[in-house]
Amino acid sequence: MRTETVRFRHNQAILVAAVIAFIGALPLASAGWYFVPVLLVPLAIGVWAWRAGTEADARELRLRALAGQRRVAWDRVVELGADARGRAVARLDDGELLVLPGVRGSELPRLVAATGQNLPGRAT
């Protein structure tokens, strides 16, 4: 049985800005070998913008960051909501709060739909 995966990512304008910053830092990096590490900052931001986000399917949530990921089974999620900044958060059964990268509070219905369950008050 194949389940649909819903993907949430940060705004891709961040990736474009990282590419422009990398190109802009090239003249500085070519001025001397000791300036080459300056290129690592836009490179890291670009990789983060391309990779970081949240993926959800009927089985689990996958929270991806720059250098790793965390998998959380849906049965561990007690509550989904939005924080004061409008970011989506999940409360786990042990009380831990997880900010869901790339997911805004307004996108919670789409996230819940990935579980295959209905929201209260919505017809199927």
Side-chain angles (χ1 to χ4, degrees):
M1 178 175 140
R2 189 164 195 272
T3 60
E4 181 181 341
T5 300
V6 179
R7 290 176 175 84
F8 299 90
R9 296 288 185 260
H10 295 285
N11 190 324
Q12 292 303 297
I14 298 169
L15 181 59
V16 173
V19 169
I20 292 170
F22 184 84
I23 293 169
L26 283 174
L28 178 64
S30 66
W33 64 268
Y34 39 87
F35 287 121
V36 171
V38 170
L39 294 174
L40 295 178
V41 174
L43 184 64
I45 291 171
V47 170
W48 171 82
W50 173 69
R51 179 173 158 66
T54 300
E55 297 176 357
D57 58 26
R59 292 177 292 131
E60 65 186 1
L61 278 169
R62 284 178 301 286
L63 312 176
R64 295 171 45 143
L66 175 64
Q69 76 175 354
R70 180 171 180 182
R71 294 174 180 259
V72 179
W74 278 114
D75 59 358
R76 291 211 47 222
V77 177
V78 175
E79 181 181 9
L80 289 171
D83 65 6
R85 295 175 58 187
R87 301 175 302 182
V89 294
R91 181 180 311 275
L92 302 183
D93 54 3
D94 62 359
E96 181 181 6
L97 277 178
L98 296 176
V99 175
L100 306 178
V103 184
R104 292 183 294 277
S106 61
E107 296 174 318
L108 284 174
R110 191 171 140 221
L111 179 67
V112 171
T115 68
Q117 302 192 20
N118 295 322
L119 286 172
R122 289 209 178 187
T124 54

